[in-house]
Each structure stands twice: as structure tokens, then as C-alpha cells.
Amino acid sequence: MSHYEVKIERRISSYSYIYRPPNSNIIWVSGLSISQIFKDRNKLSPYYIPKRLPHREQQINALLSIYGPMLKNIWSVYPRFTQIIGPTGTGKTCTTIKFGELIVERAQKEGIDLRHIYMNCKVDGVTRYVLYGNLVRKVTPKISFKSLSPEEMIRQLIEYLRFEETFLIITFDEIDYLVQMNPKEHVIYDLTRFPEFHPGEPLPIIGEIFIARSLKWHDLLESGERSTLGAGIIEFPRYTSKQIRDILEDRVEEAFQPNVVLDDTLELISDITANPPVNGDVRVGLELLYYSGILAENAGSNKVLPEHVRRVYSGINPTITAEDIMSLNKDGRIILLALVRGLKSSGSAYISLKELRKFYNIVCEEYHIKPSEDFENNVQDLIYRGIIDMKSLMEIGISGAALVDLEKFLDNLLRQIEDVERRV
Ligand SMILES: Nc1ncnc2c1ncn2[C@@H]1O[C@H](COP(=O)(O)OP(=O)(O)OP(=O)(O)O)[C@@H](O)[C@H]1O
Ligand SMILES: [Mg+2]
């Protein structure tokens, strides 16, 4: 603390002091900071699930009305499959997790040992072997699945559940990703045919919930898979500006000190979030709120103003200039070109490293270049330069580009890279 010019404001105990560095809204308490802007900034994290999920009551009730009655005769039910469909940031994941908590609570009241297992296919695996291994691991460490086939893992899992008198509802989030990555695995065929392992007998897996962004993934299924999946679909529409405002208002109350975020600020964030290019992704609204708060704090303001939001929003628009591209070596430019093509063809904000390599090889062939052995290092270099963004091996995108009109942005970028390519 010695490098701060601090004024001791109030002595709160024999060894703790509250300090206020000049021109700052951060009050230091013996080295810990208490912000005048934030009360608990964690409440703005996309991983935090608030107690109330405004405008998703209908969807939670729909899930409860499907699975709730099954608790009455849990020993003789057959599994029900439900699909949740909605664009990004419409609360599919958080609503399903909340539903899981509610149904488990209800089951407990009935003396039933029900568990909700959440699987994210992007994280938990895109092959049956890895996915089922992770499923078994999440349920119990007692089954050693190392030498088992995928079918055998499920068989043992069901036996274990029967023995322990435990019931499961399993959610498979981002199932569209898995099916796109590995359509030949026919994972839906497996997952919807568990009952056939023990024909005629009820199953301890009472429900499976599949989450996807649209129904497009059905195109990759066989007709048999589509039919066992059934028609139980719960839609998650995009939020309107007013709905986003309600959602963010709750978060403001939890995350910020009282009266710090102006009404106008909240309105601006809600409008930006509801309209194109963001199109209702609440995650972006939460980010804007968070970074606007940080900016206000760093600027020494005791209010979060619309101006802070505007500055943050303009800052997160990606701008890659021709100069940036010129400064790259040939391999860097080819990788960037491959990434842009890959993103354009996938239509999403990210592609995997594997897909990037595939597009890279195609572009190399087109430009008659031998693919570099340093591919990974070159990708790393682009990350270090802040040009591309790697959230995981499965998610590589253009820095900040998840938030803009990707199509238009990529078209521009593509033209710039190809221009540079032609000139050199
Ligand atoms: N109705 C709501 N009330 C409160 N917070 C919400 C609501 N809907 C979404 N959120 C918040 O918005 C963020 C994104 O929600 P979530 O992850 O559930 O979206 P998603 O539909 O699963 O998106 P994706 O398709 O990208 O996976 C989370 O931080 C979540 O807490
Ligand atoms: Mg989700």
C-alpha cells in the first residue's frame, strides 16, 4: 500500500483501516478493495444462475409439467425425451439447470433419489466413448469404464442405478454440435433406445433433454432417430428489449451498489442487446454491464453512464486493418484467410482447431504453398497478436467478432486479406 497516497478515512479495528486513494472510487481495506460501483461483480458472470429467471417461467413450467407427474409413479415410468430449441443467449442452459434443481427438490420431498446430470457435448465429448465415459463418471466413481464399450458403459450405468434405486434426468446441451461433428456415431439412436436394453422394464433414466440452437441438426439424423426423439419441443424465443431490461434489472440489483446504474444506461444496454447484430443474447448485455461498470470505476465516476456503455460497445467491435494483415508473415495471412473461410462456411462465431487446419490445407493448395509444420505456433502467434481468439481447441474465432454482424465483417476481412495476398 505504501505506493498509494492514502488518507486513512476511518479506523475500523486495531489492525484494519479503510483507505481512499485520491481520484479513485475504490476503497482499500487493508489491501482488499471495496468498490463504490460494484457490490458483487460475480453476479454478472455468465456462469452465475440467479434465483429468478424472468420471462422463462413458461418454459420451466412446461418442463415441470412433463417430468413432475412422473414422480408419482417413478417405479413404472418410461423415459420422456424433450428438445429445447432457441437462439444463442436465450437462457436455454440456465433454464434447464434451474429446472433440474426444482425437479430434484420436488423428488426429495417425495423421498425419491433423483439426480439431474448436465452434459455439455462441447466439453464432455463428441464421441460416444468419451461422452458416455464422462456421463458415467458424473454419476459415480464406482464404475470403471476404461475397458468397456460405449454400450457396456450404459448397461452398467443402468444396473448401477437400479441397484442404488437412483433415477436420472440427463441433459445433453449443444447436441447439435456433437451431431454435426460426428454424424456417423448415431448417438441419438443410442440415447433414445436405452429402454430396449431391458425391453418391457421401466428405466431409472426417466428423461433426456436435448438442447440445440435450431432444428437444423435434425437434417443429419436418420428418420428412425428423428422418430424416437419425438415431437416434444420447447421453444426459447429471442428476448425483447423490455424483457432484457427486466433480466438485467435483477442483476443490477445483485451486482451493483444502489443507484449506481442509471435508468438510461440500462435502457441503452437493453436496446443494444435486443437489436441486431446482438439479437437478444443476454450474455452480451451482461458483458456490457460488467465492462461499463469497470470503465466507470477506472474513470473515477460514481455512476455508470450511457457514455461508458457507448465506449465499451465501440471498443468490442473488432477492427483488423490492412496494416495488421500486412504485418503478418505469409503463413499468418493464410491461416487468417482459412479461419475467415471456415467461419463463413460454418455460419457460427467459432470453429475448431481441426476444422481450421482443414481449411488451411485447402487454402495452401489454392495458393500452391506447402502447409507449414509450424501451423500450431503460427496460430498461437495470431492469438498473441490479438487477431484471433481461442476459447478452447473447439472454439477459435476472430477477436471480438462474436458480437458484430459477422457476415458483413467477414466479407470485408476476406476482401482485405485477398487484396493483400494479391499484392505480395
Ligand atoms: N431469463 C433469464 N433471467 C436471468 N438471466 C438470464 C435469463 N436468460 C439468460 N440469462 C443469462 O444469460 C446468459 C446466457 O444464458 P444461457 O447460457 O442459458 O443461454 P443459452 O440459450 O444456453 O445460449 P447458447 O445457445 O449460446 O448456449 C447466462 O448468464 C444467464 O444467466
Ligand atoms: Mg447454452
Side-chain angles (χ1 to χ4, degrees):
M1 295 292 297
S2 58
H3 55 285
Y4 282 106
E5 265 186 58
V6 292
K7 188 168 101 201
I8 297 174
E9 293 225 318
R10 189 155 63 92
R11 197 171 171 180
I12 55 175
S13 80
S14 56
Y15 48 84
S16 298
Y17 297 91
I18 294 183
Y19 307 100
R20 186 200 293 274
N23 306 322
S24 165
N25 283 312
I26 299 180
I27 302 174
W28 296 90
V29 182
S30 295
L32 289 174
S33 62
I34 299 176
S35 161
Q36 281 195 344
I37 295 280
F38 292 108
K39 187 159 70 188
D40 180 358
R41 60 190 84 200
N42 260 331
K43 298 284 160 54
L44 298 174
S45 155
Y47 301 108
Y48 168 67
I49 300 181
K51 277 201 190 71
R52 222 168 66 99
L53 296 175
H55 305 293
R56 285 299 174 243
E57 296 86 359
Q58 218 182 324
Q59 284 76 3
I60 291 192
N61 286 337
L63 285 164
L64 285 171
S65 71
I66 295 168
Y67 295 104
M70 296 175 95
L71 301 178
K72 296 288 170 216
N73 52 348
I74 193 97
W75 293 98
S76 53
V77 295
Y78 293 95
R80 287 229 156 264
F81 308 121
T82 308
Q83 295 176 66
I84 285 180
I85 306 289
T88 191
T90 51
K92 301 182 297 297
T93 299
C94 65
T95 304
T96 311
I97 290 175
K98 180 64 75 187
F99 153 75
E101 289 168 10
L102 292 173
I103 193 87
V104 165
E105 234 170 72
R106 270 200 198 181
Q108 265 165 3
K109 284 194 187 125
E110 308 267 346
I112 297 168
D113 181 9
L114 173 72
R115 293 176 59 190
H116 174 232
I117 304 290
Y118 173 82
M119 306 288 295
N120 186 314
C121 299
K122 269 191 185 158
V123 179
D124 291 311
V126 288
T127 63
R128 288 151 79 231
Y129 183 79
V130 179
L131 187 71
Y132 300 174
N134 279 324
L135 171 62
V136 168
R137 202 174 39 78
K138 283 187 191 197
V139 176
T140 173
K142 289 186 191 155
I143 303 176
S144 159
F145 53 85
K146 289 248 159 56
S147 54
L148 300 179
S149 69
E151 290 78 11
E152 202 49 44
M153 286 185 213
I154 298 300
R155 224 180 280 276
Q156 293 223 3
L157 175 67
I158 292 172
E159 263 166 41
Y160 168 84
L161 294 170
R162 284 219 164 103
F163 182 77
E164 296 284 330
E165 302 191 345
T166 297
F167 297 86
L168 296 188
I169 293 178
I170 313 170
T171 292
F172 295 96
D173 202 347
E174 319 236 22
I175 189 74
D176 41 351
Y177 179 77
L178 187 155
V179 172
Q180 272 164 35
M181 291 295 285
N182 264 326
K184 294 211 174 73
E185 288 262 307
H186 294 299
V187 73
I188 296 302
Y189 185 88
D190 270 17
L191 295 178
T192 54
R193 277 178 165 77
F194 289 168
E196 290 173 14
F197 286 8
H198 300 267
E201 285 179 49
L203 205 67
I205 298 173
I206 68 162
E208 286 170 35
I209 299 171
F210 299 97
I211 305 181
R213 295 212 172 118
S214 79
L215 284 171
K216 253 196 248 150
W217 67 288
H218 282 198
D219 297 347
L220 295 164
L221 301 179
E222 284 183 346
S223 62
E225 286 178 298
R226 267 198 299 272
S227 83
T228 45
L229 198 52
I233 295 176
I234 301 176
E235 277 186 52
F236 278 56
R238 287 187 207 285
Y239 293 117
T240 62
S241 174
K242 168 80 185 57
Q243 290 174 333
I244 290 167
R245 199 194 154 107
D246 290 339
I247 293 168
L248 295 182
E249 217 158 354
D250 274 17
R251 293 292 185 96
V252 164
E253 212 177 296
E254 288 192 88
F256 287 87
Q257 302 288 3
N259 306 320
V260 157
V261 180
L262 301 188
D263 272 0
D264 280 357
T265 308
L266 204 53
E267 193 161 322
L268 178 62
I269 295 182
S270 307
D271 285 345
I272 292 176
T273 308
N275 290 308
V278 181
N279 292 320
D281 182 348
V282 179
R283 217 175 272 124
V284 176
L286 289 168
E287 291 257 291
L288 283 173
L289 208 45
Y290 174 72
Y291 286 109
S292 303
I294 298 274
L295 185 62
E297 191 165 69
N298 291 342
S301 165
N302 55 8
K303 300 272 182 223
V304 184
L305 307 171
E307 185 49 30
H308 295 131
V309 179
R310 280 186 212 106
R311 276 177 51 203
V312 168
Y313 188 56
S314 67
I316 55 181
N317 276 301
T319 42
I320 299 176
T321 61
E323 224 176 272
D324 289 335
I325 301 165
M326 290 293 272
S327 74
L328 297 173
N329 63 19
K330 186 133 189 114
D331 250 305
R333 285 198 298 270
I334 297 287
I335 291 173
L336 190 57
L337 181 56
L339 177 60
V340 174
R341 294 229 185 123
L343 290 171
K344 271 183 72 73
S345 93
S346 80
S348 68
Y350 297 98
I351 58 172
S352 69
L353 187 64
K354 200 166 136 199
E355 286 171 291
L356 176 57
R357 195 190 279 273
K358 195 178 86 190
F359 280 99
Y360 171 71
N361 287 333
I362 296 171
V363 176
C364 281
E365 213 176 314
E366 193 181 316
Y367 285 93
H368 309 292
I369 299 167
K370 195 170 159 274
S372 161
E373 282 173 14
D374 254 338
F375 173 77
E376 247 120 328
N377 283 341
N378 289 327
V379 170
Q380 194 60 52
D381 177 59
L382 287 167
I383 296 169
Y384 287 149
R385 287 168 188 260
I387 291 178
I388 74 174
D389 204 8
M390 179 150 134
K391 289 214 288 190
S392 69
L393 286 181
M394 305 314 287
E395 290 181 295
I396 300 175
I398 307 273
S399 292
L403 304 179
V404 298
D405 182 347
L406 198 62
E407 181 73 6
K408 210 166 98 200
F409 170 75
L410 291 179
D411 275 340
N412 273 334
L413 186 57
L414 194 61
R415 220 173 311 122
Q416 284 185 47
I417 305 172
E418 285 174 341
D419 240 300
V420 172
E421 269 309 308
R422 237 170 277 127
R423 271 185 274 158
V424 290

